[in-house]
Amino acid sequence: MTELHPDLRENVRMLGELLGDSIRKFPGQDCFDLIEEIRAAAKADRRQESGSGQRLEKLLSDLSDDQMLPVTRAFSQFLNLANIAEQYHGIRRKQGHHADMMVESLGDVFQRLLEQGVDQDELHRRVTELSIEFVLTAHPTEVTRRTLILKYDEISNCLGQLDHDDLLPVERNEITTRLRQLISEAWNTDEIRYQRPTAVDEAKWGFAVIENSLWEALPRFLRSLDRSLREATGKGLPIDAAPIRIASWMGGDRDGNPNVTHEVTREVFWLGRWMAADLYLRDIQTLRAELSMWEATDELRAQAGETREPYRAILGQLRERLLKTRDWAEACVNGEPADDSDILFGNEELIRPLQLCYDSLVASGLDEIADGLLLDTLRRVHTFGLPLVKLDIRQEAGRHAEAVAEIVSELGLGDYSSWDETQRQEFLVRELQSRRPLVPRHWNPSDNVREVLDTCAVVAKQTPESLGSYVISMASQPSDVLSVILLLRESGMQHPMRVVPLFETLDDLRGAPATMTALFSVDWYRQYCADRQEVMIGYSDSAKDAGQMMAAWAQYQAQEALTDVAAEYGVHLTLFHGRGGTVGRGGGPANRAILSQPPGSVNGSFRITEQGEMIRFKFGLPKLAEQSLTLYGTAVIEATLAPPPAPEKPWRDMMDWLTERSLQAYREVVRENPDFVPYFRQATPEQALGKLALGSRPARRKPTGGVESLRAIPWIFAWTQMRMMLPSWLGSDVALKEAAEAGHEPILRDMMARWPFFKTYVDMLEMVLAKADLRIASYYEETLVEPAYKPLGQDLRERLAGCIRHVKTLKQQDELLLDEPVFAHSLRVRNPYTDPLHYLQAELLRRDREGEGQGKVPEQVERALKVTMAGIAAGMRNTG
């Protein structure tokens, strides 16, 4: 059995002891002793010692309401500290304890590609043209408060300081004292938010990720890429290459979120400008201190004027403009008169003086100086620009159709909503080719339509580099895309913006190729998009709609077909992957996911959402962010230059056979069983999730409604909390069972051996099943579910057990995660801390529901319940 690395084990032990010291001080020794007794009982229960289960349950059920909170906080806080230790260990060892952090170096990947026959020039061209865009989303899965994240980051920094072998005893003591302070601060800080963050708060959090981590990590990654490329091909990375870009949905994603208005979006654009100006000012101040030399070209001297320090003069001029830009943005945010004279507006205005300094230093033989901070700053400008992030706009297709319909009605041109697709397209293309305005003057549209038009007007005022994509959810026809372009143009848009249909449900994915074929057949549109198209694939809703196995296969087939359609029309396609953090939302190790995409679908460009707690786990610390950038970069390069083989026909037939059965089995339970929704509501904390102030967006698309109205994140969150993990395996259980009974296991093993897509699917299923826990799921049901619905729970648990058996048989192993021993051990280490939280949560849910029935829930019960949700999320390393 794999054990934790001694260094990691020592850090976990040290952090745990320091937490124990804080608990002894407050609430006191009695509370500490009780927590230790519970932990010992949980460990004994996992070892299945006689009577230990009853002892643990009795200890927890006997707790008073007042005792519940410190006990839940203690176990939750320990899990957060264990995560910090693991996360830091992944940076220190260059090899993380999560499969996603097994990072192969850029140089090793380049060398392997050259050995496989890739031409040096082709490798250089592909790397310099690389386009990977991370889209930070505010999907509400980050449970941890910002104030605690800052303390956790400093704890990680302290662990790094302790790693030095040459510390004096007094230095080691100082660091340990600081750790003790930080853990005491965290223990004595309320970990639960009581107010939902606004959409602007979320955007500020996204900017903070750039300020605190990516600002430093990105130039370091690009230096590493440049060095590895030189070693492999003899040529480096051009200064203006921007293989990585950062975009955001925070403040732009209005789909189902009434809190994101045009005013919010406008404020987020201004805040991005303020933050960018502030960050560049810091760089410029440091550069002015460094670039004190006098050797310079005539061109630079001509702009610097008479001075002994021409570089400082040029940078001084730039500093003044950045100060004016920051002041202008701040005035705009505060609603004050804003002077926009001499501010920096386009990226080129910021690049020009920096490039002038760089070229002068190189021409003067001062290459070493040029390639220092100045080069890093130039690369930051080419990556982040003056907007800092590219803001995406997302809205549902029906809102645009409603706006066009009102305009058409106002002009007396007919009933747009009753027109067929051909009529709509003809009208939209005709108007797009017309030079006259369409929107009537002195017109008073409905509130919904006014908001759509106001949003378009805000977007139209931005520079091209400020804008990411305009994503249309529930898109199904070319008119959905054309209507957005028309509304933007009518609002004053002067340049083309990427308009991206999002295909989410099973039917959407199946219809996507026909939709894009119809769109590419519109000559006007082909000219507009300049033969470049982005298409978004939704993972969350397709899995919720059809089950994980069918969704994964439908996504794969849609990407294949879209790649073929784009090739037929000579269009360069970028697929935008709307993945979440969990397997049920398309999550899992990023490199495996990328390397298992259909051949040709990763053609040098890749766009992906990063949400909630996954932003912190992947990009929260500079070294961690650098690892993540390396991991994505190597995977996209390899998938482009050495794509996986296309699936053989027998494999396709087998996937069709499997998914036909998985889809039917999944929908029979989720859609057709009348007991399912009541069981779901009673057995999981779904109804209590609203108590957690996770994000600005409501948990439901509609205030009322069943599972179909629930967003994919709380749907996954609820099942994860009680360890049933149902969305990720339901349907697969039946498909694998019937495959075994039909004697199909030999072909499934062949698919696992030679087809990355299928192997990745089975590995992700195995990972989810390892997180499932039949005993804990049973305890929730026993405590919370009415007798009438318990037979369904018994059936689901039997199916889960069967799915585990079938995966072990398929992989020919006696236990799960034999290929991932470190991850398996990490789960085992967490169990004595997550188990009490699960038992406590079930008991707290029972008390909470009793209290609601009596019209009064004790405050301590509600707070403790929220803490269990956050703690379990930390223990599972994801929420939704």
Side-chain angles (χ1 to χ4, degrees):
M1 182 185 296
T2 300
E3 296 295 325
L4 289 184
H5 188 281
D7 291 343
L8 173 57
R9 188 168 61 243
E10 171 58 23
N11 277 347
V12 172
R13 183 201 61 76
M14 175 182 62
L15 295 176
E17 285 185 358
L18 292 173
L19 175 62
D21 291 345
S22 291
I23 295 170
R24 283 192 187 94
K25 289 179 182 175
F26 180 79
Q29 185 68 41
D30 289 347
C31 182
F32 177 81
D33 292 341
L34 175 61
I35 289 162
E36 283 297 290
E37 188 179 2
I38 292 168
R39 185 166 71 101
K43 282 188 170 180
D45 191 28
R46 278 284 165 178
R47 293 193 295 266
Q48 297 183 328
E49 294 176 12
S50 176
S52 57
Q54 293 90 333
R55 180 162 142 256
L56 178 62
E57 288 178 27
K58 185 169 191 327
L59 273 170
L60 297 174
S61 60
D62 284 351
L63 293 176
S64 68
D65 288 351
D66 290 340
Q67 288 175 309
M68 283 283 192
L69 185 60
V71 170
T72 55
R73 292 191 68 235
F75 285 102
S76 177
Q77 195 62 265
F78 178 83
L79 287 165
N80 279 311
L81 294 175
N83 283 346
I84 294 166
E86 276 199 2
Q87 189 178 52
Y88 169 69
H89 190 66
I91 299 168
R92 172 176 57 198
R93 301 294 302 169
K94 298 298 182 190
Q95 179 174 325
H97 282 250
H98 186 288
D100 211 6
M101 287 289 101
M102 298 289 203
V103 181
E104 188 178 13
S105 74
L106 289 156
D108 287 348
V109 172
F110 291 172
Q111 191 56 43
R112 188 171 68 248
L113 290 169
L114 292 173
E115 289 169 0
Q116 291 173 1
V118 173
D119 180 73
Q120 283 187 337
D121 290 340
E122 176 68 359
L123 175 60
H124 185 270
R125 182 179 72 82
R126 284 295 196 170
V127 171
T128 57
E129 293 176 357
L130 194 66
S131 174
I132 303 172
E133 195 159 31
F134 299 100
V135 184
L136 309 180
T137 78
H139 285 176
T141 63
E142 176 55 89
V143 178
T144 311
R145 287 180 64 198
R146 176 80 189 143
T147 186
L148 284 170
I149 290 172
L150 293 173
K151 298 184 199 309
Y152 295 160
D153 287 351
E154 193 171 348
I155 289 171
S156 184
N157 289 335
C158 287
L159 294 179
Q161 293 169 28
L162 284 173
D163 249 358
H164 293 279
D165 295 330
D166 58 350
L167 289 174
L168 297 172
V170 66
E171 292 173 323
R172 186 169 294 277
N173 186 55
E174 285 174 357
I175 299 166
T176 306
T177 299
R178 181 58 181 149
L179 265 176
R180 186 183 299 277
Q181 290 170 348
L182 288 164
I183 289 172
S184 180
E185 287 173 10
W187 174 246
N188 290 286
T189 296
D190 195 338
E191 56 269 86
I192 300 302
R193 292 192 199 99
Y194 292 91
Q195 290 182 321
R196 285 187 177 275
T198 66
V200 172
D201 291 334
E202 290 169 334
K204 288 178 180 176
W205 180 77
F207 296 150
V209 172
I210 295 174
E211 177 186 12
N212 298 327
S213 177
L214 285 166
W215 194 255
E216 180 183 339
L218 193 118
R220 288 208 313 230
F221 165 75
L222 293 177
R223 283 184 175 279
S224 174
L225 183 60
D226 176 59
R227 185 171 56 252
S228 299
L229 197 58
R230 284 183 194 280
E231 290 170 357
T233 70
K235 294 179 287 184
L237 192 68
I239 293 176
D240 62 351
I244 303 291
R245 291 194 187 277
I246 309 296
S248 177
W249 278 12
M250 301 180 189
D253 178 12
R254 58 235 319 115
D255 179 26
N257 189 350
N259 301 312
V260 179
T261 63
H262 72 279
E263 290 103 334
V264 165
T265 298
R266 183 169 54 211
E267 183 174 350
V268 169
F269 277 122
W270 286 330
L271 284 168
R273 291 259 165 186
W274 186 96
M275 188 79 248
D278 192 64
L279 288 169
Y280 289 122
L281 273 167
R282 299 177 207 178
D283 276 10
I284 298 305
Q285 298 283 46
T286 308
L287 281 169
R288 288 193 81 235
E290 288 192 3
L291 301 186
S292 54
M293 53 289 311
W294 64 85
E295 287 288 345
T297 59
D298 292 342
E299 184 183 1
L300 185 130
R301 288 190 181 283
Q303 293 202 27
E306 289 297 323
T307 174
R308 289 285 297 160
E309 296 178 329
Y311 297 96
R312 285 181 169 174
I314 294 292
L315 294 171
Q317 295 166 14
L318 183 56
R319 181 187 62 182
E320 292 307 308
R321 294 192 71 189
L322 281 166
L323 284 167
K324 288 179 180 178
T325 304
R326 189 177 66 177
D327 291 346
W328 166 82
E330 185 172 354
C332 289
V333 170
N334 294 333
E336 300 166 355
D339 178 10
D340 63 359
S341 60
D342 203 33
I343 67 167
L344 293 164
F345 208 63
N347 285 356
E348 189 56 38
E349 297 174 81
L350 180 54
I351 291 168
R352 200 178 302 118
L354 294 170
Q355 188 69 47
L356 180 65
C357 290
Y358 184 88
D359 292 342
S360 176
L361 286 168
V362 171
S364 303
L366 302 175
D367 305 56
E368 284 184 353
I369 298 171
D371 287 336
L373 175 61
L374 179 56
L375 178 59
D376 287 348
T377 303
L378 266 167
R379 285 188 163 146
R380 285 181 179 125
V381 177
H382 284 294
T383 297
F384 297 111
L386 278 163
L388 195 63
V389 296
K390 291 175 172 291
L391 191 64
D392 277 15
I393 306 297
R394 185 167 76 131
Q395 181 60 280
E396 192 261 326
R399 293 290 297 274
H400 309 123
E402 179 186 4
V404 175
E406 273 197 29
I407 295 168
V408 168
S409 176
E410 177 69 15
L411 294 172
L413 299 176
D415 180 6
Y416 181 85
S417 57
S418 69
W419 293 353
D420 63 25
E421 177 61 17
T422 301
Q423 289 175 290
R424 290 187 179 194
Q425 279 185 44
E426 287 174 354
F427 168 77
L428 293 167
V429 171
R430 188 166 62 247
E431 291 302 324
L432 284 163
Q433 291 173 330
S434 168
R435 294 187 177 183
R436 61 166 172 73
L438 176 67
V439 177
R441 289 185 182 182
H442 314 300
W443 171 49
N444 191 24
S446 65
D447 290 345
N448 270 359
V449 171
R450 168 56 61 203
E451 178 56 35
V452 169
L453 293 174
D454 286 346
T455 297
C456 288
V458 168
V459 172
K461 288 189 172 81
Q462 308 308 315
T463 58
E465 52 260 33
S466 302
L467 301 173
S469 301
Y470 196 121
V471 179
I472 313 168
S473 57
M474 307 309 290
S476 59
Q477 301 290 348
S479 60
D480 293 329
V481 173
L482 296 171
S483 60
V484 169
I485 301 171
L486 180 61
L487 292 170
L488 287 171
R489 196 200 71 172
E490 289 296 313
S491 302
M493 193 79 159
Q494 297 293 312
H495 48 80
M497 182 179 182
R498 293 193 307 249
V499 181
V500 178
L502 163 56
F503 301 108
E504 298 178 88
T505 66
L506 181 59
D507 287 344
D508 287 344
L509 289 167
R510 287 172 168 170
T515 298
M516 297 313 296
T517 297
L519 187 60
F520 293 152
S521 299
V522 178
D523 293 336
W524 182 91
Y525 179 75
R526 288 278 306 287
Q527 290 181 333
Y528 172 86
C529 73
D531 288 334
R532 300 188 74 84
Q533 179 66 47
E534 186 178 307
V535 173
M536 185 169 182
I537 303 294
Y539 287 72
S540 307
D541 285 299
S542 55
K544 182 165 158 278
D545 174 43
Q548 178 63 19
M549 179 180 268
M550 171 54 93
W553 181 226
Q555 290 150 10
Y556 187 95
Q557 290 177 300
Q559 291 177 62
E560 275 188 318
L562 288 167
T563 301
D564 290 344
V565 168
E568 180 185 342
Y569 284 89
V571 172
H572 182 278
L573 177 69
T574 296
L575 288 165
F576 179 10
H577 300 265
R579 293 175 177 270
T582 59
V583 172
R585 297 189 58 238
N591 55 338
R592 297 190 203 177
I594 294 168
L595 292 169
S596 64
Q597 299 300 311
S601 65
V602 182
N603 187 18
S605 59
F606 193 82
R607 205 166 192 255
I608 187 167
T609 52
E610 294 290 358
Q611 44 99 114
E613 81 282 1
M614 301 313 295
I615 295 174
R616 181 158 57 96
F617 292 158
K618 291 181 180 180
F619 302 107
L621 300 170
K623 286 184 179 177
L624 199 65
E626 191 179 351
Q627 278 192 353
S628 295
L629 296 176
T630 301
L631 181 142
Y632 277 96
T634 54
V636 172
I637 291 163
E638 190 163 3
T640 298
L641 289 169
E648 298 173 5
K649 187 174 186 308
W651 302 349
R652 290 182 182 280
D653 293 343
M654 180 50 58
M655 280 307 299
D656 288 340
W657 189 92
L658 287 168
T659 52
E660 182 185 321
R661 283 149 182 79
S662 72
L663 176 65
Q664 182 181 349
Y666 177 84
R667 287 184 170 172
E668 276 177 358
V669 173
V670 173
R671 291 192 179 185
E672 297 169 22
N673 189 323
D675 290 346
F676 179 74
V677 171
Y679 176 83
F680 169 58
R681 297 261 156 82
Q682 291 183 24
T684 76
E686 184 261 334
Q687 296 284 282
L689 293 182
K691 297 177 189 288
L692 277 179
L694 278 180
S696 68
R697 196 164 73 158
R700 291 181 178 276
R701 286 187 168 87
K702 298 173 184 173
T704 58
V707 170
E708 76 288 343
S709 71
L710 194 68
R711 291 193 176 278
I713 292 165
W715 163 246
I716 301 273
F717 194 130
W719 290 109
T720 302
Q721 290 277 302
M722 53 87 74
R723 298 290 279 275
M724 182 79 87
M725 317 300 284
L726 177 138
S728 299
W729 61 263
L730 185 64
S732 302
D733 59 309
V734 169
L736 293 178
K737 174 175 178 285
E738 294 189 11
E741 291 170 351
H744 291 319
E745 284 185 342
I747 188 173
L748 295 184
R749 291 194 183 110
D750 182 41
M751 291 160 66
M752 283 174 56
R754 298 195 292 128
W755 188 17
F757 164 77
F758 190 69
K759 177 172 178 15
T760 299
Y761 175 76
V762 175
D763 287 347
M764 294 304 97
L765 177 59
E766 180 186 23
M767 188 190 301
V768 169
L769 295 174
K771 288 186 175 184
D773 194 298
L774 290 160
R775 189 181 45 167
I776 287 172
S778 176
Y779 184 76
Y780 275 75
E781 182 183 301
E782 178 188 322
T783 308
L784 300 167
V785 175
E786 295 172 26
Y789 304 118
K790 287 185 176 179
L792 173 58
Q794 177 68 26
D795 177 57
L796 291 174
R797 288 197 309 282
E798 287 174 2
R799 290 174 64 164
L800 171 56
C803 196
I804 292 169
R805 284 196 307 274
H806 294 309
V807 167
K808 289 195 289 192
T809 302
L810 183 60
K811 297 196 77 170
Q812 297 176 298
Q813 56 195 43
D814 295 330
E815 58 183 276
L816 296 174
L817 296 179
L818 282 183
D819 299 334
E820 299 285 353
V822 179
F823 178 59
H825 188 69
S826 176
L827 282 178
R828 284 195 294 273
V829 167
R830 280 169 163 72
N831 283 331
Y833 301 92
T834 52
D835 287 0
L837 287 172
H838 286 298
Y839 288 116
L840 284 163
Q841 185 179 85
E843 175 63 23
L844 286 160
L845 281 168
R846 186 186 67 74
R847 296 185 192 185
D848 183 70
R849 291 171 188 178
E850 274 184 7
E852 285 184 344
Q854 296 164 7
K856 175 66 176 171
V857 178
E859 182 189 351
Q860 296 291 77
V861 168
E862 187 162 300
R863 282 186 66 192
L865 177 57
K866 293 175 184 177
V867 173
T868 64
M869 294 182 199
I872 292 167
M876 296 290 96
R877 287 297 298 265
N878 52 35
T879 49

